[in-house]
Amino acid sequence: MTTFSELNLDPRVLKAVEDAGYTTPTPIQEGAIPPALQGQDVLGIAQTGTGKTASFTLPMITLLSKGRARARMPRSLVLAPTRELAAQVAENFDVYAKNTKLTKALLIGGVSFKEQDLLIDRGVDVLIATPGRLLDHFERGKLLLTGVQIMVVDEADRMLDMGFIPDIERIFQLTPFTRQTLFFSATMAPEIERITNTFLSAPARVEVARQASASETITQGLIYFRPSRKDRTAKEKREMLRALIESEGDKLTNAIIFCNRKTEVDVVAKSLKKHGLDAAPIHGDLEQSQRTRTLDGFRDGTLKFLIASDVAARGLDIPNVSHVFNFDAPSHAEDYVHRIGRTGRAGRLGTAYTIATPNDDKYLAAIESLLKTEIPRIEAPGGATPALAPEAEDEPKREARSRSRGGRKRKDDEAPKPDLAEAAPQDAPDQPKEPREDRPRRGRGNDRRDDNRVVGLGDHVPDFLLRDFKVPAND
Ligand code: AMP
């Protein structure tokens, strides 16, 4: 087995790694560090949680330890899609570069330009930034990228989701052709492939096993129910969430609750608070100071429930989360694995519950096909369904099928209609381009789904009863 001491890292870096308690490199570190130290470009296909941050920070610190920074000309650049991820990379730098004299600056939205300009003016070795903020600085003439020797792009697939690829291309073009590029993505979408073909030069390709399966230490469960009426879906899901939380009792020490939309994140947080639970939201529309406070509170145990969107929570390294709840089934199957992977970390036990209604059948089918297994169906806690409608009696077969396999494969033209009343631009902590979670999906249209059935009216429901209207944002 390879150890860190065999990787030719600078002794000061090695000491910091030892102090952090690590002796054995993870597969992405073992694969990426040697070519990176040799000055080669690296294409790392790895997800968060694999140790990929150290796989680029350790060789960078080693390579940069010779040489000095010049005013306004950073020697290296790390691009991350969200402020939190950029801040996390910066924390990693602090840990691993603590025995060196390297300097760094973090350029993220929500922090004053003045403070950041001062740092850059003095000259920094490592500049860690979100793409939008970096370009803002560049356009204000405060920054030159012609001294960048090493450029890192982290979480490229998330950059793609957030519409940052044109910015990334522009930044690539502003840096010297001779730079070394370390590029990381969890998946290789065609657009990502194109970028790497254009901007990387004969990269060492290091791929670590995709995390298509959930950790065995996580107990999963799916609570599937049919809302009494379509316009009561969100409210009844909130009731179900509270019942679940209550039924877990002392087993639940803290939890992350995921929603698909920022507006829903706010509503759920507000509703839980109203019901006396210690909850706070995190998403890209909130002030940076509030986001930082909320995350710090959750990390140090003073906040029990973190309500989050995928983007805001992506890649966050928060140990000791006992529960994850999917208030909404994620519309991208891979997000399910990411979400529930927030619990059951490092061999600890965790619980992940997903709340779903027939609207989620398509998503559930995609998730279960990725997992190659069914998410176990569990009963609603303590019979928490008095407010919920009984199954439509004239449809026993379909319902039974949905229950047994977590949702039949729905035809495209049956896909659920987006709830426009609740849709809002999705998290893009810096410069949202095209919201992913709220992007209208193909195939969604004017379907009158059978879950619009109104109990007691049989098949003949007057059309006006089926019209959408906005649901009040708090219950
Ligand atoms: P990352 O994928 O970079 O977000 O890292 C996930 C977690 O793994 C972080 O908490 C790191 O501190 C931790 N980590 C990084 N390298 C190692 C290693 N070689 N052995 C064990 N844990 C590590």
Side-chain angles (χ1 to χ4, degrees):
M1 203 194 291
T2 312
T3 58
F4 276 112
S5 52
E6 294 165 63
L7 290 179
N8 279 330
L9 291 164
D10 184 293
R12 290 166 293 179
V13 176
L14 204 55
K15 175 81 176 53
V17 172
E18 277 167 16
D19 289 349
Y22 307 137
T23 47
T24 319
T26 64
I28 186 75
Q29 292 164 355
E30 195 176 338
I33 292 174
L37 283 177
Q38 302 211 326
Q40 229 186 310
D41 282 359
V42 171
L43 171 57
I45 304 165
Q47 293 183 337
T48 309
T50 54
K52 74 178 161 55
T53 318
S55 80
F56 60 81
T57 43
L58 303 183
M60 276 177 86
I61 300 167
T62 299
L63 292 167
L64 293 169
S65 59
K66 298 174 205 83
R68 281 196 58 222
R70 287 164 56 194
R72 283 195 280 163
M73 291 179 73
R75 298 164 67 207
S76 67
L77 177 62
V78 181
L79 295 173
T82 65
R83 298 170 186 180
E84 280 77 12
L85 279 172
Q88 211 162 277
V89 172
E91 278 167 26
N92 270 260
F93 259 100
D94 288 343
V95 170
Y96 300 127
K98 66 175 187 178
N99 302 321
T100 72
K101 291 207 168 66
L102 294 181
T103 55
K104 65 146 210 304
L106 180 61
L107 294 193
I108 52 176
V111 179
S112 92
F113 276 96
K114 212 169 145 201
E115 265 171 53
Q116 299 178 330
D117 283 346
L118 268 174
L119 280 172
I120 297 170
D121 276 350
R122 255 185 260 149
V124 289
D125 298 294
V126 184
L127 189 59
I128 302 159
T130 47
R133 189 63 165 208
L134 180 86
L135 286 172
D136 284 348
H137 275 271
F138 181 80
E139 273 150 20
R140 293 166 71 246
K142 296 288 182 186
L143 179 65
L144 288 168
L145 294 175
T146 43
V148 171
Q149 297 157 23
I150 306 172
M151 172 162 157
V152 177
V153 179
D154 195 14
E155 303 256 350
D157 49 348
R158 187 59 35 159
M159 305 256 198
L160 175 67
D161 283 347
M162 294 171 70
F164 282 149
I165 293 298
D167 287 350
I168 298 292
E169 287 191 71
R170 182 148 175 246
I171 295 167
F172 263 124
Q173 281 155 354
L174 295 171
T175 60
F177 176 66
T178 50
R179 65 163 194 271
Q180 179 184 8
T181 309
L182 311 175
F183 191 101
F184 292 83
S185 186
T187 55
M188 286 303 285
E191 184 66 357
I192 302 282
E193 194 93 47
R194 181 184 70 74
I195 299 280
T196 57
N197 288 341
T198 313
F199 296 105
L200 271 63
S201 160
R205 188 180 166 111
V206 185
E207 186 162 357
V208 300
R210 278 180 51 68
Q211 206 185 334
S213 63
S215 157
E216 304 213 324
T217 58
I218 305 172
T219 305
Q220 298 177 63
L222 177 77
I223 297 91
Y224 187 89
F225 75 97
R226 178 178 289 269
S228 62
R229 257 179 26 200
K230 188 182 176 197
D231 58 285
R232 289 203 183 128
T233 306
K235 186 172 188 298
E236 291 175 1
K237 280 168 79 175
R238 291 196 291 274
E239 285 166 6
M240 187 63 82
L241 173 66
R242 290 198 303 275
L244 269 172
I245 289 172
E246 201 174 313
S247 73
E248 287 298 285
D250 292 344
K251 277 189 284 172
L252 190 156
T253 51
N254 60 351
I256 305 181
I257 298 164
F258 284 97
C259 302
N260 288 359
R261 301 189 183 104
K262 287 187 292 196
T263 41
E264 198 80 87
V265 168
D266 282 331
V267 173
V268 171
K270 220 166 133 188
S271 158
L272 288 179
K273 260 203 279 196
K274 212 177 117 188
H275 285 86
L277 297 169
D278 178 22
I282 182 161
H283 60 67
D285 278 356
L286 300 171
E287 287 283 319
Q288 184 58 34
S289 57
Q290 187 185 344
R291 286 158 63 173
T292 308
R293 229 181 10 254
T294 301
L295 266 183
D296 287 349
F298 192 66
R299 281 202 178 104
D300 69 25
T302 50
L303 175 71
K304 191 164 175 182
F305 295 98
L306 181 70
I307 328 300
S309 64
D310 288 294
V311 173
R314 171 95 176 194
L316 295 180
D317 189 29
I318 304 171
N320 287 329
V321 178
S322 77
H323 284 62
V324 165
F325 295 97
N326 290 316
F327 182 79
D328 299 305
S331 52
H332 287 230
E334 281 166 13
D335 284 339
Y336 179 83
V337 181
H338 293 147
R339 287 179 180 188
I340 73 165
R342 307 288 99 206
T343 182
R345 282 164 96 85
R348 291 195 191 88
L349 296 179
T351 305
Y353 290 141
T354 301
I355 299 173
T357 68
N359 266 350
D360 302 307
D361 285 357
K362 192 166 146 192
Y363 303 147
L364 289 177
I367 292 165
E368 294 189 323
S369 131
L370 176 74
L371 295 175
K372 296 196 181 65
T373 176
E374 274 196 352
I375 307 170
R377 273 48 179 169
I378 58 169
E379 291 291 319
T385 49
L388 313 180
E391 288 175 14
E393 280 173 5
D394 50 349
E395 276 200 310
K397 282 199 195 103
R398 166 184 293 182
E399 189 66 9
R401 220 168 31 229
S402 284
R403 286 253 164 117
S404 69
R405 55 178 298 275
R408 73 206 161 92
K409 187 104 183 119
R410 208 197 276 127
K411 283 188 241 112
D412 259 352
D413 58 355
E414 288 179 290
K417 192 160 65 171
D419 186 349
L420 295 177
E422 291 207 323
Q426 183 241 7
D427 291 334
D430 266 70
Q431 283 197 335
K433 293 280 158 54
E434 194 187 1
R436 181 180 66 109
E437 283 144 33
D438 302 323
R439 226 182 270 157
R441 293 183 185 85
R442 242 177 291 133
R444 295 190 158 201
N446 51 354
D447 52 311
R448 281 266 170 253
R449 286 172 39 74
D450 50 14
D451 51 354
N452 284 329
R453 200 172 291 283
V454 174
V455 176
L457 288 179
D459 282 326
H460 304 287
V461 182
D463 200 47
F464 74 88
L465 281 182
L466 297 178
R467 258 177 234 148
D468 284 337
F469 52 91
K470 192 173 166 118
V471 185
N474 48 8
D475 60 315

